[in-house]
Amino acid sequence: MTEQVNALIIIEVHARDIIDTFVRDSILDHREFAWESQLRFYWDRKEDDTLIRQCTGEFKYGYEYMGLNGRLVITALTDRCYMTLTTALTYRLGGAPAGPAGTGKTETTKDLAKSMALLCVVFNCGDGLDYKV
């Protein structure tokens, strides 16, 4: 129960911060970049399915249950990573976040997959990994 409440609090705090930014910057039009850059969920009656939109990308909700293992705290950097990865997916490209070890690249990618309900499999490549595994 604690992890459920924690995840809800994290998502709601991020939503509150985004709304505060919209009010502060007078974001009133749905075509403004500040709104378009958010990960948004819509119910499409024609498709009878949930759609996820961010920037120019549109994705079907994956319905993949990942378990309740917590959520990352969503920061401005997390939002930018989400935007970069979803834009790459829009153009049928992949994403390979780069940077120093321990900075949250893998966790951010896994959290985006969890948000979109998509399966995310992580391989930690090392000396012990070969084609026989």
Side-chain angles (χ1 to χ4, degrees):
M1 181 74 163
T2 304
E3 286 192 27
Q4 291 170 333
V5 173
N6 247 2
L8 284 172
I9 290 171
I10 289 169
I11 292 168
E12 291 303 318
V13 166
H14 179 253
R16 181 207 60 197
D17 293 346
I18 293 301
I19 290 170
D20 285 347
T21 303
F22 287 173
V23 170
R24 185 190 70 226
D25 298 342
S26 300
I27 306 299
L28 302 173
D29 191 1
H30 71 277
R31 293 170 296 200
E32 292 197 44
F33 181 73
W35 173 253
E36 286 286 328
S37 66
Q38 298 304 310
L39 197 61
R40 305 175 319 279
F41 297 82
Y42 295 91
W43 180 257
D44 188 341
R45 290 183 184 168
K46 190 174 88 174
E47 294 278 332
D48 196 31
D49 203 0
T50 304
L51 297 178
I52 304 166
R53 295 182 183 140
Q54 187 173 33
C55 295
T56 57
E58 184 173 283
F59 312 93
K60 285 191 174 186
Y61 190 76
Y63 297 103
E64 182 75 35
Y65 180 65
M66 305 289 189
L68 187 59
N69 51 8
R71 293 292 304 262
L72 285 181
V73 174
I74 305 168
T75 64
L77 182 59
T78 311
D79 279 337
R80 279 185 276 175
C81 289
Y82 284 7
M83 196 174 6
T84 303
L85 290 169
T86 55
T87 302
L89 290 173
T90 300
Y91 296 110
R92 306 287 189 244
L93 301 171
T103 55
K105 300 174 296 294
T106 302
E107 293 304 317
T108 300
T109 304
K110 286 171 33 180
D111 199 58
L112 175 61
K114 183 181 270 193
S115 296
M116 298 174 74
L118 298 172
L119 179 63
C120 181
V121 180
V122 176
F123 289 96
N124 289 321
C125 299
D127 295 337
L129 184 68
D130 62 10
Y131 70 93
K132 296 176 186 175
V133 176

